[in-house]
Amino acid sequence: MAIKLDKDVEQRLIGSIQRYCAEHLDEEVGDLKARLLLDFCLREIGPSVYNQAIVDAQAAMQERIAELQTECYETEFSYWKK
């Protein structure tokens, strides 16, 4: 599954890469180089980050599902115990 970004998000990321390179690497990077670096990150690093996010989301959901039994439990046949 390829990671596709909204055009606005892509443009903001390109600007962020350019700023990072200028401030931390003392190198001015044009749009093309920044776009190529972004593409590399999305293809090479993105799937690992995405997969970990899915694992984290599954774990969080499983925790919530495990809580359902205690949070949504009603004692049965309790009418006559009043």
Side-chain angles (χ1 to χ4, degrees):
M1 169 194 245
I3 298 173
K4 288 297 277 177
L5 300 173
D6 184 64
K7 290 294 182 190
D8 181 54
V9 171
E10 186 177 286
Q11 284 302 121
R12 292 177 66 193
L13 286 171
I14 288 170
S16 183
I17 290 169
Q18 290 172 319
R19 181 176 176 182
Y20 180 87
C21 289
E23 290 183 13
H24 296 282
L25 304 176
D26 295 324
E27 185 173 333
E28 296 296 323
V29 173
D31 284 356
L32 179 59
K33 284 185 179 180
R35 188 176 303 278
L36 290 171
L37 180 57
L38 176 59
D39 185 56
F40 169 78
C41 290
L42 289 175
R43 289 179 185 219
E44 188 68 17
I45 300 167
S48 297
V49 174
Y50 179 85
N51 290 340
Q52 186 60 51
I54 295 298
V55 168
D56 293 346
Q58 286 175 331
M61 291 301 294
Q62 287 173 348
E63 285 178 24
R64 295 291 297 162
I65 289 169
E67 294 172 1
L68 278 176
Q69 186 172 3
T70 57
E71 289 182 14
C72 299
Y73 181 79
E74 188 64 38
T75 304
E76 298 177 17
F77 306 107
S78 62
Y79 180 82
W80 294 110
K81 294 180 184 179
K82 295 180 183 177

